[in-house]
């Protein structure tokens, strides 16, 4: 073969594509750290000086830091769907319908559709061993409690250990209930009214004030009891229904013991690296940190200068450090691309009494659940690949969590699907410095199915223009959050429409403090017109899909409930034997 010039030329071209000259001789390992509800202002490398994060900061020192890294959604399920598929969540049906913005029940039938392709699936097909440790929150079953149609193992992962749902206040007995509290209060009030009506009618019957039959009173009491059972059977046992841990298809804890979750996640992550160190492998560590109720082990409680939330962040940083140490110990540092980010911004309204339990989004306005304001969607973006990426480099170009899909697929030697639109862009040329600008000219910011904002990166001038078509109404006014309802909503009476849209230049006003006007910005109308055309072009690429967050998909269905035991007697602790 070496004597044949054509064969030699073909081999050279194969081994030396221009954009990735140094990386094609082997398939790198991938380790992704995804924090939950983590604000960009909570890291030392992004300016925080009250919380110690030396291990995560090390990724910035030894690699590349992105300062305009954008999530595709400001809440968990749609953001994670976009991250794994490289597509806006509206394309896969993970958009708000019937007031639901995330997968609300583990025993619902909604989730990441089976016809969506994750980058984990492509890596798996390219010979990678793939593992997810931690949170999933993209559905479980479709028709029966063991069909596992939305399970991670049916979306490209060879191994799964963690929570198929999401951590929340209801998972901890001592923490105030969190899930759909307004709905639960309303249902409880209706039940109380029915009970009072029954007692009143009984008193009237006994005192002969009303000529009622006992059959009528009994029927009303029976109706009230049935109504109570209809909602309490789900809401009254959330800790058993939603707060579970699985290993692959097997339930290991129901309900989970959240105080030991951190140590088990860390153990599983290190064990996965140990088992697969010959590579290539993809490890996705999807932290339960720092979502409420910010459960922190005794070792870290009271150690930070930022209360329990800061303790939780520092524990997560320690876990990252342990995993990085394992990579070093196994001599995998130079053959592993490591990436740290968050699914969206910090939750400003999260509180326990008067104590804050949510993150800080730095100079950026807004937070979790706010799709337009930067604080809800601008997240950390740290890449390290020793010998392949420059150290200490900072990139201010607009990038997206959706970019991880094509980036990893190309590095693994795969190709992105050609039968669908992929909204992400390969980041390697930008990270390595072979290009100076992001491929994203426009990014669109959805709150559920509603387009709240859009940005235009005008590359010839360097301006990053952003328009807001609607913004959440803060309560109290000027507070920067929706403290009356805990989560800002996407539409209706909870938002303010803007005509003309609000316009900001993020390159001059990243905090979105002062909207521009025709008097202060000569290009005002031109910019609005250009972004408006881009929005229309984008909308023409959308096709109708079945909503995964409709009421029918997103209610508790007993026949879909994963159960360790015989339903409804679901309980087990198989991890206790392994501790």
């Amino acid at each position: 073969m070496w004597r044949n010039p054509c064969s030699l030329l073909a081999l050279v071209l194969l081994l030396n594509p221009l954009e990735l000259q140094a990386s094609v001789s082997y398939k790198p390992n991938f380790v992704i750290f995804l924090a939950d509800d983590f604000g960009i202002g909570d890291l030392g490398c992004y300016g925080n000086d009250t919380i110690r994060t030396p291990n995560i900061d090390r990724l910035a020192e030894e690699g590349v830091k992105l300062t305009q890294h954008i999530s595709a959604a400001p809440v968990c399920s749609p953001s994670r769907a976009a991250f794994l598929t490289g597509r806006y969540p509206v394309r896969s049906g993970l958009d708000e319908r019937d007031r639901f913005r995330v997968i609300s029940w583990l025993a619902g039938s909604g989730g990441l559709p089976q016809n969506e392709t994750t980058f984990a699936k492509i890596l798996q097909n390219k010979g990678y061993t793939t593992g997810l440790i931690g949170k999933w929150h993209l559905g479980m079953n479709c028709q029966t409690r063991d069909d596992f149609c939305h399970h991670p193992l049916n979306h490209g992962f060879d191994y799964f250990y963690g929570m198929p749902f999401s951590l929340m206040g209801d998972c901890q007995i001592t923490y105030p209930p969190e899930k759909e509290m307004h709905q639960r209060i309303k249902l409880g009030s209706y039940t109380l009214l029915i009970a009072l009506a029954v007692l009143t009618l009984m008193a009237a019957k006994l005192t002969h004030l009303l000529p009622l039959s006992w059959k009528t009173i009994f029927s009303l009491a029976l109706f009230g009891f049935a109504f109570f059972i209809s909602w309490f059977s789900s809401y009254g046992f959330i800790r058993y229904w939603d707060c579970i841990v699985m290993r692959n298809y097997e339930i290991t804890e129901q309900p989970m013991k959240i105080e030991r979750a951190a140590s088990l996640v860390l153990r599983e992550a290190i064990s996965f690296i140990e088992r697969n160190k010959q590579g290539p492998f993809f490890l996705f560590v999807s932290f339960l940190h720092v979502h409420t109720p910010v459960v922190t082990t005794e070792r870290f409680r009271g150690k930070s200068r930022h209360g329990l939330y800061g303790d939780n962040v520092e524990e997560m940083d320690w876990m990252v450090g342990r995993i990085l140490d394992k990579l070093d110990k196994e001599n995998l540092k130079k053959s592993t691309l490591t990436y740290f980010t968050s699914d969206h911004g910090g939750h400003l309204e999260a509180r326990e009494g008067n104590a804050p339990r949510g993150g800080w989004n730095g100079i950026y306005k807004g937070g979790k659940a706010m799709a337009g304001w930067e604080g809800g969607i601008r997240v950390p973006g740290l890449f390290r690949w020793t010998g392949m990426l420059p150290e200490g480099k900072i990139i201010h170009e607009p990038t997206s969590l959706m970019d991880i899909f094509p980036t990893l697929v190309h590095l693994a030697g795969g190709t992105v699907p050609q039968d669908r639109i992929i909204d992400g862009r390969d980041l390697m040329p930008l990270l390595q410095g072979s290009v100076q600008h992001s491929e994203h000219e426009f990014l669109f910011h959805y709150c559920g199915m509603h387009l709240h904002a859009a940005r235009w990166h005008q590359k010839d001038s360097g301006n990053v223009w952003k328009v807001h078509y609607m913004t959440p109404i803060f309560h109290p006014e000027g507070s920067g959050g929706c403290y009356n309802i805990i989560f800002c909503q996407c539409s209706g009476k909870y938002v303010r429409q803007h005509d003309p849209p609000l316009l900001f230049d993020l390159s001059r006003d990243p905090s979105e403090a002062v909207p521009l006007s025709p008097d202060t910005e000569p290009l005002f109308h031109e910019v609005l017109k250009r972004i408006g055309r881009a929005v229309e072009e984008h909308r023409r690429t959308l096709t109708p899909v079945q909503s995964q967050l409709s009421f029918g998909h997103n209610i508790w269905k007993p026949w879909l409930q994963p159960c360790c035991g015989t339903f409804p007697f679901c309980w087990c602790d198989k991890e206790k034997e392994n501790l």
Side-chain angles (χ1 to χ4, degrees):
M1 182 184 74
W2 302 109
R3 296 190 184 96
N4 188 326
C6 292
S7 298
L8 182 59
L9 177 60
L11 182 62
V12 170
L13 291 174
L14 178 65
L15 295 180
N16 290 279
L18 293 177
E19 70 273 19
L20 293 174
Q21 291 183 5
S23 65
V24 294
S25 60
Y26 66 95
K27 292 181 180 178
N29 305 309
F30 303 117
V31 174
I32 289 180
F33 298 110
L34 181 67
D36 195 3
D37 288 15
F38 186 63
I40 192 173
D42 289 325
L43 286 174
C45 59
Y46 284 94
N48 192 296
D49 58 3
T50 62
I51 301 178
R52 295 164 294 189
T53 55
N55 296 295
I56 301 174
D57 294 344
R58 179 159 44 115
L59 296 176
E61 296 165 4
E62 299 177 354
V64 180
K65 178 175 76 172
L66 306 178
T67 63
Q68 198 175 162
H69 201 40
I70 307 300
S71 170
V75 288
C76 300
S77 297
S79 170
R80 291 162 184 266
F83 174 68
L84 286 168
T85 64
R87 290 154 51 84
Y88 286 108
V90 68
R91 299 192 191 279
S92 56
L94 268 297
D95 53 0
E96 176 206 16
R97 301 289 169 90
D98 302 328
R99 77 181 171 84
F100 296 105
R101 297 179 61 185
V102 298
I103 302 296
S104 296
W105 293 95
L106 182 58
S109 55
L112 186 62
Q114 292 172 286
N115 63 353
E116 287 292 335
T117 300
T118 68
F119 61 78
K121 173 65 75 174
I122 297 178
L123 296 186
Q124 188 182 57
N125 292 338
K126 298 303 293 185
Y128 278 74
T129 302
T130 57
L132 167 60
I133 312 297
K135 172 177 173 175
W136 175 238
H137 205 186
L138 285 170
M140 182 58 53
N141 299 309
C142 289
Q143 296 180 335
T144 66
R145 64 168 49 97
D146 57 359
D147 64 32
F148 302 116
C149 64
H150 301 304
H151 192 282
L153 268 59
N154 284 328
H155 277 296
F157 291 98
D158 296 305
Y159 183 75
F160 169 62
Y161 178 86
M163 284 193 76
F165 194 62
S166 174
L167 192 63
M168 54 186 168
D170 301 83
C171 297
Q172 186 178 26
I173 298 176
T174 59
Y175 196 85
E178 179 180 343
K179 184 173 183 174
E180 297 187 18
M181 273 307 300
H182 293 288
Q183 180 73 359
R184 291 157 75 172
I185 291 172
K186 186 185 299 183
L187 292 170
S189 299
Y190 292 158
T191 304
L192 182 60
L193 286 174
I194 295 173
L196 289 174
V198 170
L199 292 174
T200 301
L201 292 177
M202 288 178 63
K205 171 70 174 177
L206 293 172
T207 57
H208 306 289
L209 292 177
L210 290 174
L212 293 171
S213 68
W214 285 110
K215 182 178 179 180
T216 300
I217 298 174
F218 178 76
S219 297
L220 180 60
L222 188 62
F223 169 78
F225 180 73
F227 176 75
F228 171 72
I229 292 299
S230 70
W231 66 266
F232 192 77
S233 59
S234 56
Y235 287 114
F237 299 91
I238 289 176
R239 196 164 70 91
Y240 286 85
W241 301 154
D242 287 342
C243 305
I244 72 174
V245 175
M246 299 181 75
R247 175 177 284 104
N248 296 326
Y249 295 124
E250 180 188 20
I251 299 174
T252 61
E253 294 182 49
Q254 189 173 17
M256 69 183 295
K257 309 297 185 291
I258 57 176
E259 64 278 0
R260 67 189 188 201
S263 61
L264 292 176
V265 165
L266 179 59
R267 182 193 71 183
E268 290 288 334
I270 291 177
S271 176
F272 182 86
I273 295 173
E274 175 67 31
R275 295 194 308 271
N276 299 287
K277 57 187 176 184
Q278 299 305 317
F281 67 80
F282 162 48
L283 172 60
F284 181 14
V285 183
S286 179
F287 287 107
L288 304 181
H289 299 63
V290 290
H291 199 290
T292 52
V294 290
V295 178
T296 309
T297 58
E298 192 64 33
R299 175 178 178 178
F300 290 91
R301 291 179 69 93
K303 299 298 174 63
S304 79
R305 294 161 54 195
H306 197 68
L308 184 60
Y309 178 84
D311 299 342
N312 201 242
V313 173
E314 293 188 1
E315 180 176 53
M316 178 179 65
D317 179 78
W318 172 78
M319 295 170 69
V320 170
R322 289 288 306 277
I323 296 170
L324 295 180
D325 289 344
K326 180 62 177 178
L327 294 176
D328 291 346
K329 180 181 177 182
E330 301 296 343
N331 295 316
L332 297 173
K333 182 177 179 179
K334 292 184 177 181
S335 60
T336 302
L337 172 63
T338 306
Y339 168 63
F340 179 92
T341 191
S342 175
D343 56 355
H344 49 72
H347 190 188
L348 303 179
E349 299 93 343
R351 308 184 72 84
E352 185 178 3
N354 294 323
R357 291 290 182 262
W360 183 52
N361 298 310
I363 64 171
Y364 304 109
K365 181 182 294 185
K368 177 181 180 177
M370 306 180 211
W373 298 120
E374 289 292 285
I377 54 177
R378 192 180 289 222
V379 295
L382 305 174
F383 289 85
R384 185 190 75 173
W385 189 1
T386 304
M388 295 298 299
L389 297 180
E391 296 187 3
K393 183 175 182 178
I394 301 175
I395 296 176
H396 301 292
E397 295 286 300
T399 57
S400 170
L401 264 67
M402 296 183 292
D403 298 337
I404 303 307
F405 182 104
T407 302
L408 268 57
V409 167
H410 288 157
L411 286 173
T415 57
V416 299
Q418 301 300 306
D419 61 344
R420 66 198 64 195
I421 293 175
I422 300 298
D423 298 298
R425 300 292 182 265
D426 185 1
L427 285 175
M428 283 306 292
L430 183 65
L431 296 176
Q432 291 183 315
S434 60
V435 301
Q436 298 304 310
H437 293 297
S438 163
E439 288 189 43
H440 290 290
E441 184 177 10
F442 297 95
L443 285 170
F444 306 98
H445 310 304
Y446 283 92
C447 187
M449 61 183 292
H450 306 279
L451 184 67
H452 273 209
R455 79 181 65 210
W456 174 29
H457 182 209
Q458 192 177 7
K459 298 178 184 179
D460 56 350
S461 67
N463 296 82
V464 179
W465 305 101
K466 185 174 173 192
V467 298
H468 290 258
Y469 298 105
M470 58 184 84
T471 54
I473 297 174
F474 293 146
H475 186 88
E477 186 176 351
S479 64
C482 301
Y483 291 89
N484 57 328
I485 54 176
I486 308 304
F487 295 98
C488 290
Q489 300 300 308
C490 297
S491 59
K493 66 180 181 179
Y494 300 104
V495 301
R496 182 174 289 112
Q497 306 276 348
H498 299 286
D499 186 15
L502 300 180
L503 176 64
F504 298 91
D505 180 1
L506 298 180
S507 55
R508 290 178 288 171
D509 182 16
S511 301
E512 299 172 285
V514 182
L516 300 171
S517 69
D519 295 331
T520 59
E521 177 50 64
L523 298 176
F524 183 86
H525 294 292
E526 180 182 334
V527 171
L528 292 186
K529 187 180 297 185
R530 180 66 188 94
I531 296 178
R533 288 201 306 270
V535 168
E536 290 305 312
E537 292 169 5
H538 163 70
R539 282 178 169 154
R540 284 196 289 271
T541 70
L542 302 178
T543 56
V545 294
Q546 183 182 35
S547 173
Q548 298 297 315
L549 301 181
S550 65
F551 179 79
H553 273 120
N554 222 6
I555 59 173
W556 183 68
K557 300 177 180 179
W559 61 92
L560 299 184
Q561 179 61 55
C563 182
C564 188
T566 302
F567 184 82
F569 304 104
C570 306
W571 183 92
C572 64
D573 184 5
K574 299 177 184 178
E575 290 296 346
K576 187 175 182 181
E577 306 167 1
N578 301 323
L579 293 177

